[in-house]
Amino acid sequence: MAPMTAAGEEMHALVERLYPLCRSITGDGVRDTLEIVGEYIPLQVNEVPTGTQVLDWTVPQEWNIRDAYIADPAGNRVVDFAASSLHVLGYSVPVSATMPLSELRAHLHTLPDHPAWVPYRTSYYTPEWGFCLAQKTLDALPDGEYEVRIDSTLTDGHLTYAEHVVPGQVTDEVIVSCHVCHPSLANDNLAGIAVATFLARALAQETPYYTYRFIYAPGTIGAITWLARNAERIERVKHGLVLACAGDPGQLTYKQSRRGDAEIDRVMRHVLEASERPHHVAEFTPYGYDERQFCSPGFDLGVGSLSRTPYAGYPEYHTSADNLDFVSPEAMADTLALCREAFALLDRNRRYVNLSPYGEPQLGRRGLYDALGGRSDTKQAQMAMLWMLNLSDGEHSLLDVAERSGLPFDTVAAAAGALRDADLIKT
């Protein structure tokens, strides 16, 4: 089995393990998720108490749930949390009551356009309770008295998030963020967790230039909490990527940072185009995943977002149809491969200074032309050297040279290496 195919199978197996857990923005479901991820990579788990001020937000009470169901007049559980964590409105307050179906209906959420699917709904900051169920289940319910039970707690506790750091040659950081707050949704968000985890494992086998910080946090409030608690580190963050919806069959989509011309934006555009993968590059909008927190104007970090089909861009989004069959090992492996290609380029994208800038240095007596003998791309390699010498002014990066010359980045990088070894350029 090819390495990337094997990784795809392992990522799908991780998604399968995580799928049954009931995650939310706080609670034991997040901890259980991080405990499993911690079997793959070491994690530093952080607990932030309820009531902590984080920027303009406050860490909410912690929500946990043990059981929930609706029983029909005959005592049969017609909606059961044990069957799927999607069946309960996220953050539902506890309830234990008997009521007629006419009263219960106000607390039921369905998808009439997809009568067999169960929707995902939450009520994080408003004290409500409710159930989510298939429209066809609701249509089959007879009138009568129903027993309603949600065994949940909302108490002072903690918001939990975790970090994994791959040390680099420099302390400048690349952050990779994924959200860990959704329940049984395979593409949104488990595929992103899996790709991030296996990306971290791959980078740990190398000696990256940048330090890579992986952040596993609940959406919105988690990223805001991380930003609030890491103000002293923000200046180290040079690039970043939010991973989400990473396993569906759609084409790759890169959403640019707020800047639009951040280095990560240029790298992702270049790698996607050079790979000849079907893809789409989207402009930044202040809606979506946690890129909007990292790209808020006060921080304005160079953080983009990578997905396959974007959020809300597929019918299965936030429904029970976003299941284990919706994500594939092949799609996750492709997302992982693209990330590795992009970060490999980012890690090598240096600026050089020509040490012999007056006229063209004689390459032949330095053996640089001889070193190219027999290569199938000899002419490209020669041109890459000439372009590198001309644009090594401390202002142009290797990516600049590749884009201006129309030469492959790897060819330009190889030329830079040869010129550096010959003491003709330096960083």
Side-chain angles (χ1 to χ4, degrees):
M1 184 179 290
M4 200 54 69
T5 303
E9 296 289 350
E10 290 183 75
M11 286 187 286
H12 198 274
L14 174 56
V15 170
E16 190 171 358
R17 286 186 67 189
L18 297 175
Y19 185 75
L21 300 179
C22 181
R23 281 164 292 274
S24 189
I25 56 173
T26 62
D28 291 335
V30 174
R31 297 187 186 97
D32 292 343
T33 297
L34 296 176
E35 183 176 352
I36 291 173
V37 173
E39 297 175 17
Y40 293 78
I41 56 174
L43 292 177
Q44 177 186 335
V45 178
N46 303 276
E47 299 276 8
V48 184
T50 295
T52 301
Q53 189 71 28
V54 285
L55 306 181
D56 195 46
W57 294 60
T58 304
V59 173
Q61 288 191 308
E62 181 176 324
W63 183 70
N64 285 293
I65 183 167
R66 286 161 291 279
D67 191 19
Y69 62 86
I70 300 173
D72 66 13
N76 302 307
R77 290 194 178 194
V78 291
V79 178
D80 194 348
F81 171 75
S84 171
S85 59
L86 293 177
H87 277 309
V88 173
L89 178 76
Y91 253 64
S92 279
V93 299
V95 61
S96 181
T98 300
M99 63 186 67
L101 180 60
S102 58
E103 182 180 341
L104 177 59
R105 282 182 181 274
H107 298 276
L108 303 181
H109 304 270
T110 65
L111 293 167
D113 291 342
H114 296 283
W117 297 357
V118 177
Y120 164 55
R121 299 287 185 269
T122 65
S123 181
Y124 294 142
Y125 301 104
T126 304
E128 295 182 5
W129 64 268
F131 288 86
C132 300
L133 66 159
Q135 181 67 44
K136 67 177 186 179
T137 300
L138 176 59
D139 293 342
L141 296 182
D143 288 333
E145 295 291 309
Y146 285 78
E147 180 188 358
V148 179
R149 170 85 166 154
I150 297 179
D151 182 11
S152 64
T153 54
L154 270 167
T155 58
D156 287 352
H158 297 82
L159 178 147
T160 309
Y161 72 91
E163 296 173 279
H164 170 80
V165 177
V166 179
Q169 300 170 38
V170 297
T171 58
D172 288 347
E173 292 188 359
V174 180
I175 58 172
V176 180
S177 172
C178 58
H179 57 287
V180 295
C181 53
H182 287 14
S184 298
L185 300 174
N187 195 43
D188 177 30
N189 59 334
L190 296 179
I193 293 173
V195 170
T197 301
F198 278 75
L199 178 58
R201 289 179 66 176
L203 287 169
Q205 301 303 311
E206 304 167 1
T207 307
Y209 177 74
Y210 289 108
T211 293
Y212 286 82
R213 182 176 300 274
F214 289 78
I215 303 168
Y216 297 81
T220 304
I221 185 66
I224 286 171
T225 299
W226 186 88
L227 287 164
R229 287 167 56 88
N230 289 273
E232 78 290 346
R233 183 182 287 125
I234 296 302
E235 64 180 17
R236 296 186 196 171
V237 177
K238 305 304 179 184
H239 321 283
L241 194 62
V242 172
L243 287 172
C245 300
D248 69 82
Q251 68 179 9
L252 285 160
T253 299
Y254 176 69
K255 176 183 172 183
Q256 299 182 123
S257 73
R258 176 179 182 267
R259 301 179 195 172
D261 62 349
E263 190 171 345
I264 189 67
D265 300 326
R266 297 184 58 213
V267 166
M268 293 300 294
R269 291 195 301 261
H270 183 88
V271 170
L272 283 165
E273 185 173 347
S275 73
E276 298 184 346
R277 289 176 173 90
H279 68 274
H280 174 64
V281 176
E283 297 292 331
F284 174 79
T285 64
Y287 185 76
Y289 292 110
D290 285 332
E291 69 279 356
R292 68 189 196 272
Q293 310 308 331
F294 299 118
C295 294
S296 56
F299 296 109
D300 194 23
L301 298 176
V303 177
S305 176
L306 180 66
S307 62
R308 301 194 71 85
T309 308
Y311 57 87
Y314 51 97
E316 298 85 354
Y317 179 77
H318 280 193
T319 77
S320 58
D322 184 354
N323 55 33
L324 294 173
D325 293 331
F326 185 62
V327 298
S328 72
E330 295 77 15
M332 285 186 282
D334 185 50
T335 307
L336 174 62
L338 190 281
C339 290
R340 295 190 65 180
E341 292 164 24
F343 288 164
L345 192 157
L346 186 67
D347 254 16
R348 292 180 292 163
N349 192 32
R350 306 279 185 281
R351 288 173 171 79
Y352 288 86
V353 174
N354 189 335
L355 299 177
S356 182
Y358 298 101
E360 182 181 303
Q362 190 174 10
L363 302 181
R365 69 179 174 84
R366 293 176 171 87
L368 291 173
Y369 281 141
D370 293 339
L372 302 176
R375 288 180 51 158
S376 60
D377 63 342
T378 299
K379 186 171 182 180
Q380 270 196 342
Q382 289 177 348
M383 287 303 300
M385 286 188 184
L386 296 177
W387 274 109
M388 274 303 306
L389 287 167
N390 191 271
L391 293 181
S392 290
D393 53 8
E395 299 295 326
H396 291 84
S397 67
L398 295 185
L399 183 56
D400 291 325
V401 176
E403 290 182 340
R404 184 163 177 181
S405 68
L407 296 168
F409 181 90
D410 286 346
T411 302
V412 171
L419 293 169
R420 182 191 61 234
D421 292 344
D423 295 323
L424 286 172
I425 61 174
K426 69 174 185 178
T427 53

